[in-house]
């Protein structure tokens, strides 16, 4: 039985204990998920297929919007819950969870934690389970991620509902929900740095559609600015997409202006909203005296991260992106294939319609075709430019692609009202959505869920020999410092980080920040007086150069360890030190 390491409720361990020995669980999972997704697709297509006036008043509530939205959340949860069983599946997630643990000891971000390109808004949500007496770990983090995904889907739905109607919104939701529900790859199911940013983008997209289609006040403009202004403090990578949506929002304010004075007032209100979170951040920087840490650890470090793009030609980067987006291993190809089909078909159809009518904007919402294209192109830039083969970057494209699909469907539905040709196109759209649903369901049936099938192993290895050894030398209230890539050790031992750096990249590689980072690590170690120090690089056999990255290769760190710690054990080559 795993050693108790925290007093809080352990969600992951409880799930593993409950289901580890259930026979036939894999088949039960498949059958239940297929039923849930089938009902979801029926609910999504019901406004288009069924005539509301001919449906019994007793049956009508079943197809209502609250039922559809609730079932949408259920469809995502039904596919994704097995990931709550898995241990560490992504190093970024490990860093985020460890940072959330540390914030309860020291709430001053950048003084207590450094999460690289992710800001405080990506980490703070992970502290919520602790307030509910739930242990902060992999399962609790992924629950937060699922909540943000479901919230994003709901705002996405209302964006298209306000712009068109519930028929369009429900149909466009199908590929997005199937993507999230059936995603299996670790890069899509862990709590990533993209979850909070896509929630920001979906929320502001809804506000943009609201302002375009309804009467609005300056309060809505201010709230839009405040929400989109959070992006720099969630993930810098999302800034170009946030800027694109802000420009679209400003253009809509211009098109709906009553006077230049009123437009300028709206712009000023937008600017105030944009500055709100920056003002809040400035207040806390002054309060905690962390201005230098913020500048060096977030602003300069992000400039270094995004300046350190791969030395590849754009064509090579784009080819790498195509390989990721079309990979069967990632199970993300359906969404991007549907987007490509819709984009090509829509370009041909809309060009034809423009030539026939001799005008470009043949509906009052057609400008959103260009808006959505603009957002997709900018999102594509955000994913492609770094040149990193990180599949979780693709999450930035899910809602822009879904929105483009929705806009195309919406415009075709409008054109089909008095046109037999577009009524046939409308029918083809329904067939395409049904075919895509069946194809993805088939892929699900023929494959075994990777996390569900390993549940017994996860329970057996809940605490590894390394974790049990570390816990022999520390109590749950102690801190630990890890040198290397093993932030999962913080999560699995329950010992909070004694240093703010989750990654040692900027300490072991030559950069303008190296001296500062090394001194900072040493100072943090001295200040925290961490009970345990772990050199995880000593056991890393992934590179012949690993020995050059051990702590004793850096005098600043080696001196602190030599004077304050003694080596007490070694497990799988990983060295464990205890404070003298």
């Amino acid at each position: 039985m795993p050693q108790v390491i925290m007093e809080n409720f352990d969600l992951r361990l409880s799930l593993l204990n409950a289901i580890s020995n259930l026979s036939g669980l894999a088949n039960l999972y498949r059958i239940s998920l297929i039923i849930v997704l089938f009902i979801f697709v029926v609910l999504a297509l019901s406004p288009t297929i069924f005539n509301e006036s001919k449906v019994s008043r007793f049956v009508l509530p079943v197809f209502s919007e609250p039922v559809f939205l609730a079932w949408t959340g259920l469809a995502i949860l039904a596919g994704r819950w097995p990931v709550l069983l898995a241990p560490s599946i992504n190093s970024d997630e490990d860093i985020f969870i460890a940072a959330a643990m540390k914030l309860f000891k020291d709430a001053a971000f950048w003084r207590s934690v450094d999460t690289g390109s992710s800001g405080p808004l990506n980490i703070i949500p992970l502290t919520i389970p602790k307030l509910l007496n739930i242990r902060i770990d992999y399962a609790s983090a992924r629950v937060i991620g699922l909540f943000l995904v479901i919230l994003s889907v709901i705002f996405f739905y209302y964006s298209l509902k306000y712009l068109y109607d519930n028929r369009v919104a429900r149909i466009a939701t199908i590929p997005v929900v199937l993507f999230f529900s059936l995603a299996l790859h670790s890069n899509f199911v862990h709590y990533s740095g993209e979850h909070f940013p896509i929630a920001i983008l979906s929320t502001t997209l809804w506000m943009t559609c609201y302002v375009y289609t309804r009467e609005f006040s300056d309060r809505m403009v201010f709230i839009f600015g405040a929400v989109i202004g959070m992006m720099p403090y969630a993930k810098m990578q999302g800034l170009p997409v946030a800027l694109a949506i802000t420009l679209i929002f400003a253009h809509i304010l211009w098109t709906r202006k009553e006077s230049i004075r009123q437009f300028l007032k709206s712009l000023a209100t937008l600017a105030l909203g944009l500055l709100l979170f920056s003002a809040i951040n400035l207040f806390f920087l002054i309060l905690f005296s962390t201005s230098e840490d913020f500048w060096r650890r977030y602003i300069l470090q992000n400039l270094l991260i995004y300046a350190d793009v791969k030395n590849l030609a754009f064509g090579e980067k784009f080819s790498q992106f195509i390989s990721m987006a079309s990979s069967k291993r990632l199970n993300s190809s359906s969404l991007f294939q549907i987007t490509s089909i819709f984009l090509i078909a829509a370009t041909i159809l809309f060009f034809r319609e423009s030539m026939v009518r001799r005008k470009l904007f043949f509906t009052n919402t057609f400008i959103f075709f260009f808006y959505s294209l603009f957002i997709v192109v900018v999102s594509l830039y955000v994913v492609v430019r770094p040149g990193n083969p990180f599949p979780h970057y693709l999450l930035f494209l899910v809602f822009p692609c879904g929105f483009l699909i929705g806009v195309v469907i919406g415009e075709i539905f409008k054109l089909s009202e008095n046109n037999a040709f577009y009524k046939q196109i409308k029918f083809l759209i329904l067939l395409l959505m049904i075919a895509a649903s069946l194809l993805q369901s088939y892929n699900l049936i023929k494959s075994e869920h990777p996390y569900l099938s390993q549940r017994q192993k996860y329970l057996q290895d809940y605490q590894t020999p390394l974790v049990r050894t570390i816990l022999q030398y520390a109590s749950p209230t102690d801190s630990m410092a890890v040198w290397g890539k093993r932030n999962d050790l913080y999560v699995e031992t329950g010992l909070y980080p004694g240093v703010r750096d989750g990654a040692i990249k900027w300490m072991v590689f030559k950069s303008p920040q190296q001296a500062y980072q090394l001194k900072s690590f040493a100072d943090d170690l001295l200040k925290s007086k961490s009970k345990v120090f772990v050199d995880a690089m000593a056991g890393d056999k992934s590179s012949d150069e690993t020995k050059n990255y051990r702590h004793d290769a850096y005098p600043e760190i080696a001196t602190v360890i030599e004077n304050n710690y003694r080596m007490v054990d070694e497990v799988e080559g990983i060295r464990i030190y205890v404070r003298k």
Side-chain angles (χ1 to χ4, degrees):
M1 187 72 181
Q3 182 177 339
V4 176
I5 55 179
M6 296 187 78
E7 295 180 359
N8 303 107
F9 174 71
D10 192 323
L11 176 60
R12 178 171 168 254
L13 181 58
S14 298
L15 286 172
L16 286 171
N17 280 323
I19 68 169
S20 62
N21 293 317
L22 287 180
S23 60
L25 184 60
N27 289 331
L28 179 62
Y29 167 76
R30 287 194 190 100
I31 293 169
S32 61
L33 181 54
I34 290 169
I35 292 172
V36 168
L37 291 180
F38 174 77
I39 295 173
F40 163 73
V41 173
V42 170
L43 291 174
L45 298 177
S46 60
T48 306
I49 295 174
F50 303 121
N51 188 332
E52 188 174 314
S53 61
K54 295 181 180 179
V55 176
S56 168
R57 63 188 179 91
F58 298 106
V59 177
L60 200 57
V62 175
F63 299 106
S64 66
E65 184 173 83
V67 170
F68 171 72
L69 292 177
W71 206 269
T72 295
L74 179 62
I76 295 172
L77 288 173
R80 288 281 285 273
W81 70 264
V83 74
L84 303 182
L85 307 173
S88 173
I89 55 177
N90 184 276
S91 59
D92 287 347
E93 183 183 56
D94 300 339
I95 292 173
F96 297 161
I97 297 171
M101 294 165 60
K102 180 66 176 294
L103 286 179
F104 273 96
K105 299 294 181 180
D106 184 356
F109 210 91
W110 294 300
R111 183 182 70 192
S112 63
V113 297
D114 180 351
T115 50
S117 62
S118 283
L121 291 181
N122 268 349
I123 311 305
I124 291 172
L126 299 183
T127 64
I128 295 173
K130 178 81 170 180
L131 302 176
L132 303 174
N133 203 37
I134 299 173
R135 181 187 173 197
I136 300 175
D137 71 345
Y138 308 116
S140 67
R142 291 162 197 165
V143 167
I144 297 296
L146 282 172
F147 172 78
L148 290 172
V149 165
I150 293 170
L151 187 67
S152 301
V153 171
I154 290 172
F155 278 117
F156 169 79
Y157 166 82
Y158 278 111
S159 300
L160 290 166
K161 183 190 174 184
Y162 283 168
L163 200 58
Y164 298 103
D165 55 36
N166 72 327
R167 297 176 305 158
V168 173
R170 291 195 188 194
I171 294 173
T173 302
I174 293 174
V176 173
V177 169
L178 289 178
F179 172 87
F180 284 114
S181 179
L182 302 178
L184 296 176
H185 195 275
S186 60
N187 272 269
F188 296 144
V189 298
H190 76 281
Y191 180 85
S192 71
E194 289 75 28
H195 277 86
F196 200 90
I198 63 176
I200 291 174
L201 297 174
S202 294
T203 305
T204 51
L205 196 58
W206 163 70
M207 292 182 188
T208 302
C209 295
Y210 182 95
V211 167
Y212 186 82
T213 57
R214 284 162 172 72
E215 293 299 321
F216 64 94
S217 64
D218 284 341
R219 187 193 317 179
M220 177 63 83
V221 177
F222 179 82
I223 293 173
F224 173 90
V227 175
I228 205 78
M230 293 179 180
M231 184 61 78
Y233 307 99
K235 190 173 179 70
M236 287 287 192
Q237 189 180 0
L239 271 178
V241 191
L243 177 61
I245 295 177
T246 303
L247 291 174
I248 291 169
F249 189 85
H251 183 253
I252 290 172
L253 292 180
W254 171 260
T255 60
R256 299 206 62 192
K257 70 182 185 301
E258 295 176 358
S259 65
I260 295 295
R261 182 178 180 181
Q262 185 259 338
F263 172 69
L264 292 175
K265 180 186 175 185
S266 294
L267 274 188
T269 304
L270 175 61
L272 284 174
L274 287 168
L275 293 172
L276 176 63
F277 205 87
S278 291
I280 294 172
N281 181 61
L282 180 61
F283 170 77
F284 282 108
L285 291 179
I286 295 171
L287 179 67
F288 293 125
S289 301
T290 53
S291 299
E292 183 182 0
D293 292 319
F294 167 71
W295 174 252
R296 299 197 70 158
R297 290 185 166 274
Y298 198 57
I299 303 301
L300 289 183
Q301 192 161 296
N302 266 285
L303 289 174
L304 284 171
I305 289 171
Y306 292 115
D308 184 33
V309 294
K310 302 297 181 184
N311 188 25
L312 299 172
F314 182 80
E316 292 175 298
K317 293 179 182 178
F318 193 76
S319 176
Q320 182 175 265
F321 159 75
I322 294 297
S323 296
M324 281 198 304
S326 60
S327 171
K328 291 183 179 180
R329 182 174 61 90
L330 296 178
N331 197 33
S332 61
S333 56
S334 292
L335 175 64
F336 302 118
Q337 286 168 359
I338 291 172
T339 304
S340 301
I341 292 169
F342 270 82
L343 180 57
I344 294 169
T347 302
I348 296 170
L349 290 172
F350 295 157
F351 178 76
R352 171 185 174 275
E353 195 66 22
S354 297
M355 294 298 290
V356 170
R357 301 195 183 204
R358 296 186 178 181
K359 59 180 180 180
L360 181 59
F361 299 101
F362 41 80
T363 70
N364 63 338
T365 52
F366 188 70
I367 192 171
F368 271 85
F369 178 65
F370 296 102
Y371 286 160
S372 60
L373 271 178
F374 180 45
I375 295 171
V376 168
V377 169
V378 174
S379 301
L380 192 61
Y381 168 81
V382 162
V383 173
V384 173
R385 184 185 179 275
N388 294 317
F390 299 153
H392 57 82
Y393 283 1
L394 294 174
L395 293 175
F396 273 120
L397 275 168
V398 174
F399 288 104
C401 286
F403 189 67
L404 176 61
I405 290 170
V407 169
V408 172
I409 293 172
E411 294 304 315
I412 289 175
F413 272 39
K414 280 190 171 184
L415 293 171
S416 70
E417 290 174 2
N418 299 303
N419 189 305
F421 172 72
Y422 283 104
K423 285 182 180 178
Q424 293 176 335
I425 299 296
K426 177 179 168 182
F427 178 71
L428 288 175
I429 288 172
L430 297 180
L431 287 180
L432 177 61
M433 289 301 176
I434 293 171
S437 304
L438 290 174
L439 179 62
Q440 288 193 286
S441 298
Y442 170 74
N443 290 332
L444 171 72
I445 292 170
K446 72 177 185 178
S447 60
E448 192 171 13
H449 198 289
Y451 304 119
L452 200 59
S453 62
Q454 297 188 71
R455 62 190 184 278
Q456 291 180 330
K457 184 177 185 301
Y458 292 154
L459 182 60
Q460 181 183 344
D461 298 338
Y462 188 79
Q463 283 184 352
T464 63
L466 176 59
V467 169
R468 288 196 293 270
T469 302
I470 291 172
L471 289 173
Q472 291 176 8
Y473 301 102
S475 65
T477 57
D478 290 328
S479 67
M480 174 175 65
V482 176
W483 175 268
K485 308 172 186 176
R486 295 298 303 274
N487 286 276
D488 59 302
L489 293 176
Y490 294 121
V491 185
E492 294 175 16
T493 61
L495 305 177
Y496 69 91
V499 293
R500 75 190 92 177
D501 295 285
I504 63 170
K505 175 181 178 180
W506 302 108
M507 286 178 268
V508 300
F509 296 126
K510 297 291 183 182
S511 77
Q513 292 278 85
Q514 186 181 28
Y516 165 78
Q517 295 278 3
L518 284 167
K519 183 179 183 303
S520 175
F521 190 97
D523 291 346
D524 285 354
L525 199 52
L526 288 170
K527 182 180 177 182
S528 68
K529 298 180 180 179
S530 294
K531 184 69 176 291
V532 177
F533 172 81
V534 176
D535 187 345
M537 296 305 292
D540 191 337
K541 303 294 192 297
S542 61
S543 171
D544 293 335
E545 298 180 356
T546 297
K547 62 183 179 181
N548 298 326
Y549 302 145
R550 295 191 311 221
H551 83 273
D552 48 16
Y554 303 89
E556 300 91 331
I557 312 301
T559 301
V560 174
I561 300 304
E562 184 178 353
N563 293 338
N564 298 277
Y565 291 83
R566 59 186 175 86
M567 183 176 167
V568 293
D569 220 323
E570 183 174 323
V571 180
E572 298 173 358
I574 294 177
R575 298 172 182 176
I576 302 170
Y577 298 76
V578 173
R579 191 169 181 83
K580 293 177 181 177

Coordinates of all heavy atoms in Angstrom, one line a residue, residues 49 52 74 106 116 152 196 207 212 216 254 317 333 346 387 392 423 445 548 552 563 576 579:
I49 N -32.3 18.3 -38.4 CA -33.0 17.1 -39.0 C -34.5 17.1 -38.7 O -35.4 16.8 -39.5 CB -32.4 15.8 -38.4 CG1 -31.0 15.7 -39.0 CG2 -33.2 14.6 -38.9 CD1 -30.2 14.5 -38.4
E52 N -39.2 21.2 -35.5 CA -39.6 21.4 -34.1 C -41.2 21.4 -33.9 O -41.7 20.9 -32.9 CB -39.1 22.8 -33.6 CG -39.3 23.0 -32.1 CD -38.6 24.3 -31.7 OE1 -37.4 24.5 -32.0 OE2 -39.2 25.1 -30.9
L74 N -20.5 16.0 -20.9 CA -20.5 14.5 -20.6 C -19.7 13.8 -21.7 O -19.0 12.8 -21.4 CB -21.9 14.0 -20.5 CG -22.0 12.5 -20.2 CD1 -21.4 12.1 -18.9 CD2 -23.5 12.0 -20.2
D106 N 4.6 30.1 -0.8 CA 5.0 31.5 -1.1 C 4.2 31.9 -2.3 O 4.5 31.4 -3.4 CB 6.5 31.5 -1.3 CG 7.0 32.9 -1.6 OD1 6.2 33.9 -1.6 OD2 8.2 33.1 -1.7
G116 N 8.8 29.2 -16.9 CA 9.3 29.4 -18.3 C 8.3 30.3 -19.0 O 8.0 31.4 -18.6
S152 N -14.5 26.3 -22.7 CA -14.1 26.9 -24.0 C -15.1 26.4 -25.0 O -15.5 27.2 -25.9 CB -12.7 26.4 -24.4 OG -11.8 26.8 -23.4
F196 N -5.4 27.4 -20.5 CA -6.0 28.7 -20.1 C -6.0 29.6 -21.3 O -7.0 30.4 -21.5 CB -5.2 29.2 -19.0 CG -5.9 30.3 -18.2 CD1 -6.7 29.9 -17.1 CD2 -5.9 31.6 -18.5 CE1 -7.4 30.9 -16.4 CE2 -6.6 32.6 -17.8 CZ -7.4 32.2 -16.8
M207 N -17.5 37.1 -27.1 CA -17.8 38.6 -26.9 C -17.8 39.3 -28.3 O -18.6 40.2 -28.5 CB -16.8 39.2 -26.0 CG -16.9 38.7 -24.5 SD -15.7 39.5 -23.5 CE -15.9 38.6 -22.0
Y212 N -21.0 42.1 -32.4 CA -21.4 42.3 -33.8 C -22.9 42.1 -34.0 O -23.5 42.8 -34.9 CB -20.7 41.2 -34.6 CG -20.9 41.4 -36.1 CD1 -20.1 42.3 -36.8 CD2 -21.8 40.7 -36.8 CE1 -20.3 42.5 -38.2 CE2 -22.0 40.8 -38.2 CZ -21.3 41.8 -38.9 OH -21.5 42.0 -40.2
F216 N -24.8 46.6 -27.3 CA -23.8 46.3 -26.3 C -23.4 47.7 -25.6 O -23.7 48.7 -26.1 CB -22.5 45.7 -26.9 CG -21.8 46.6 -27.8 CD1 -20.8 47.4 -27.4 CD2 -22.1 46.6 -29.2 CE1 -20.1 48.2 -28.3 CE2 -21.5 47.4 -30.1 CZ -20.5 48.3 -29.7
W254 N -15.6 49.9 -35.0 CA -15.6 51.0 -36.1 C -16.8 50.9 -37.0 O -17.5 51.9 -37.3 CB -14.3 50.8 -36.9 CG -14.3 51.7 -38.1 CD1 -14.5 51.4 -39.4 CD2 -14.1 53.1 -38.1 NE1 -14.5 52.4 -40.2 CE2 -14.2 53.6 -39.5 CE3 -13.8 54.1 -37.1 CZ2 -14.0 54.9 -39.9 CZ3 -13.6 55.4 -37.5 CH2 -13.7 55.8 -38.9
K317 N 9.6 24.0 -41.6 CA 8.8 24.2 -40.4 C 7.3 23.8 -40.8 O 6.6 23.1 -40.0 CB 8.8 25.6 -39.8 CG 10.1 26.0 -39.3 CD 10.1 27.4 -38.8 CE 11.4 27.9 -38.2 NZ 11.4 29.3 -37.7
S333 N -6.1 14.2 -37.0 CA -6.2 14.5 -38.4 C -7.6 14.8 -38.8 O -7.8 15.6 -39.8 CB -5.6 13.4 -39.2 OG -6.3 12.1 -38.9
A346 N -15.5 26.0 -49.6 CA -16.1 27.3 -49.3 C -15.5 28.4 -50.3 O -16.2 29.3 -50.8 CB -15.9 27.7 -47.9
G387 N 9.1 26.3 -34.8 CA 9.8 25.1 -35.4 C 10.0 23.9 -34.4 O 10.8 23.0 -34.7
H392 N 1.3 19.6 -28.6 CA 0.3 20.4 -27.9 C 0.2 21.8 -28.4 O -0.8 22.5 -28.1 CB 0.7 20.4 -26.4 CG 2.1 20.9 -26.0 ND1 2.3 22.3 -25.9 CD2 3.2 20.3 -25.8 CE1 3.6 22.4 -25.6 NE2 4.2 21.2 -25.5
K423 N -29.1 23.8 -50.8 CA -29.8 22.8 -49.9 C -29.1 21.5 -50.1 O -29.0 20.7 -49.1 CB -31.2 22.7 -50.3 CG -32.1 23.9 -49.8 CD -33.5 23.8 -50.2 CE -34.3 25.0 -49.6 NZ -35.8 24.9 -50.0
I445 N -13.1 1.9 -31.4 CA -13.5 0.6 -31.1 C -12.4 -0.4 -31.3 O -12.2 -1.4 -30.5 CB -14.7 0.2 -32.0 CG1 -16.0 1.0 -31.6 CG2 -15.0 -1.3 -31.9 CD1 -17.1 0.8 -32.6
N548 N 28.2 16.1 -17.9 CA 28.6 17.6 -18.0 C 27.4 18.4 -17.4 O 27.6 19.6 -17.1 CB 28.8 18.0 -19.4 CG 30.0 17.3 -20.0 OD1 31.0 17.0 -19.3 ND2 30.0 17.0 -21.3
D552 N 27.6 18.9 -9.9 CA 29.0 19.2 -9.5 C 29.8 19.7 -10.6 O 31.0 20.0 -10.5 CB 29.7 17.9 -8.9 CG 29.4 16.7 -9.7 OD1 29.0 16.8 -10.9 OD2 29.6 15.6 -9.2
N563 N 29.0 22.0 1.1 CA 29.0 22.6 2.5 C 27.7 22.3 3.3 O 27.8 22.4 4.5 CB 29.1 24.1 2.3 CG 30.5 24.6 1.8 OD1 31.4 23.8 1.8 ND2 30.5 25.8 1.2
I576 N 20.8 11.0 -4.0 CA 20.0 11.6 -3.0 C 20.9 12.2 -1.9 O 21.7 11.5 -1.3 CB 18.9 10.7 -2.4 CG1 18.1 10.1 -3.5 CG2 18.1 11.4 -1.4 CD1 17.2 8.9 -3.1
R579 N 20.3 17.3 4.0 CA 20.9 18.4 4.6 C 21.7 18.0 5.9 O 21.2 17.2 6.7 CB 19.9 19.5 5.0 CG 20.5 20.8 5.4 CD 19.5 21.9 5.4 NE 20.1 23.2 5.8 CZ 20.7 24.0 5.0 NH1 20.8 23.7 3.7 NH2 21.3 25.1 5.4

